[in-house]
Amino acid sequence: MYRDVQPQVDLPALEHDVLALWRDQNTFHRSMEQRSDAPMWVFYEGPPTANGTPGTHHIEARVFKDVFPRYRTMKGYQVPRKAGWDCHGLPVEIAVEKELGFTSKQDIENYGVAEFNAKCRESVLRHVGEFEEMTERMGYWVDTDQAYWTMDPEYVDSLWWALQQVYRKGLLVQDHRVAPYCPRCGTGLSDHELAQGYETVVDPSVFVRFPITSGPLAEQGAELLVWTTTPWTLVSNTAVAVHPAVDYVLASTPGDDLLVVAEPLVSSALDGDVTIVGRVTGTELVGTSYRAPFALIDIPDEGPLHTVLPAEFVTVTDGTGLVHLAPAFGPDDLAIGREHGLPVVNPIEANGTFGAGIDLVGGVFFKKADTQLVADLEARGLLYRHLPYEHTYPHCWRCHTPLMYYAQPSWYIRTTAIKDQLIAQNDATDWFPESIKHGRYGDWLENNVDWALSRNRYWGTPLPVWRCPSDHLTVIGSRAELAQRAGQPLEAMDPHRPYVDDVVISCDECDGAARRVPEVIDVWFDSGCM
């Protein structure tokens, strides 16, 4: 007969004895000293944020971090293992906002930026002891005695130096682009952050009539049929895009509508039996004018306003083959708008609500405005079809607020300008597993967009850009350089907001008074620079 006999071992006591032995004999540091003359293999820890208690995912990450330095040590290398702490960013700010009961950036401004940032610093330090205890208990050997902190002034210096180099190479620029924006946090997000926050939602899918107002089609009473899942953007419509190489039809419907749709989409876009009474190419539609679905805001009469424009990005995989353009809320829309001189019309405030004075939707959050707008379209006979549409929609990865693509000025690192170099370096890198090289990571490099670097927030590394009234820029590379330019000692100054915002320097080009731009740096740049 087989009997399972369990060993009589007191595991907690054994764990305590081993850890006590390592601690008493300073085993970790002595193991590094034994390799003092060996070739060096440097390891800096990718920093966790200690503003919350450690979780199981931190244990997993620390196991991976421990394996490679141990392996390299056994291979005969000296392996300094410097721990680090990630201190800045929206995750810390949101945690502090919850503690203080804040719901908006205005609450922070009223409380005081200095006081708020002091709370953020305190939050970052709160759970370091728990992280260090967990690190010791799991046997992860890393030097926490000389850890780097991304909020330290010396670390801020290193980031300023790095961005100064990026600027000198012409890769740091400010541009007015459409980028993902969180109205609750009041700041833009990077492409990487965007990918972390998609959630499944049901939005209204609407097919809207745009009555044609010029040419033979207008004489026949024809209408452009436009499909969108963002009815709130129709308020800012400035044009309609068609693909120049696609064939479009004039379809007579059972309800006596005469609608223009892409020929491949007739059966999916239109209800019931329809009769094709005419055909026209996308190129022939270009220049056709129409009446916009809403007249709730004043839109400057610039460029070919409310006309059909050609666009290669229009597809015939879904919808109607006609795409409404609102340059303030889509990167493709903005590109076409700039090409043709269309106005960029943005009636939505930074908090995500329509301006208070706008009829029908004034003061309403942009996503909630869909209900009123769709009802109004139906009441005026402009709504052809209205269907629920389940799809993934980007949300803020921290606060879960729906994002919007929003035209705003932001600072970018032009990663697309060095795309070929990035791909070449990836090709020269050994990946484990190999599939990542030309799979997930390779795909990301092939499709990378410029890094949206700046954040309109408070607790972060200040962007080291000073601007004078003549719009000349000076990018500072360290606190020492800033002190020299300002003519005052600043080495003891906290380089965070609001203190650094008060430092004024002279412009090199015109001697005007240059002040720092208000943005801080994406926290991923903090950890990535290490």
Side-chain angles (χ1 to χ4, degrees), residues 3 30 40 136 178 189 228 246 332 352 355 464 482 503 508-509 518:
R3 186 163 57 122
R30 287 173 62 192
M40 187 173 292
E136 183 186 47
V178 173
L189 283 79
T228 183
V246 168
D332 289 332
L482 180 62
V503 179
D508 283 337
E509 297 187 48

Side-chain angles (χ1 to χ4, degrees), residues 190-195 413 415-416 419 422-423 426 431 435-452 522 524:
S190 69
D191 192 52
H192 171 70
E193 292 173 298
L194 177 71
I413 294 179
T415 54
T416 55
K419 175 181 175 179
L422 296 172
I423 292 174
N426 185 49
W431 277 92
S435 59
I436 299 293
K437 182 173 187 174
H438 295 119
R440 182 176 179 182
Y441 193 72
D443 288 343
W444 180 74
L445 287 179
E446 287 286 353
N447 298 287
N448 95 86
V449 297
D450 288 346
W451 187 347
D522 177 10
W524 294 99

Side-chain angles (χ1 to χ4, degrees), residues 63 146 173 297:
V63 168
Q146 303 180 68
V173 296
I297 60 175

Side-chain angles (χ1 to χ4, degrees), residues 15-94:
E15 172 194 277
H16 178 269
D17 290 344
V18 171
L19 293 177
L21 179 68
W22 286 354
R23 192 184 310 116
D24 294 343
Q25 297 189 358
N26 198 23
T27 306
F28 166 47
H29 290 285
R30 287 173 62 192
S31 73
M32 289 194 295
E33 290 170 4
Q34 288 179 346
R35 296 283 193 271
S36 59
D37 296 327
M40 187 173 292
W41 193 82
V42 178
F43 177 84
Y44 285 89
E45 179 184 22
T49 306
N51 70 316
T53 56
T56 54
H57 61 293
H58 291 109
I59 296 175
E60 180 183 32
R62 277 167 137 59
V63 168
F64 289 129
K65 293 174 184 178
D66 198 44
V67 166
F68 295 95
R70 285 187 186 275
Y71 171 73
R72 286 294 175 178
T73 299
M74 290 189 291
K75 294 288 284 185
Y77 288 89
Q78 178 194 4
V79 185
R81 306 168 205 184
K82 195 175 185 68
W85 303 106
D86 210 358
C87 306
H88 292 139
L90 202 53
V92 179
E93 290 197 45
I94 289 179

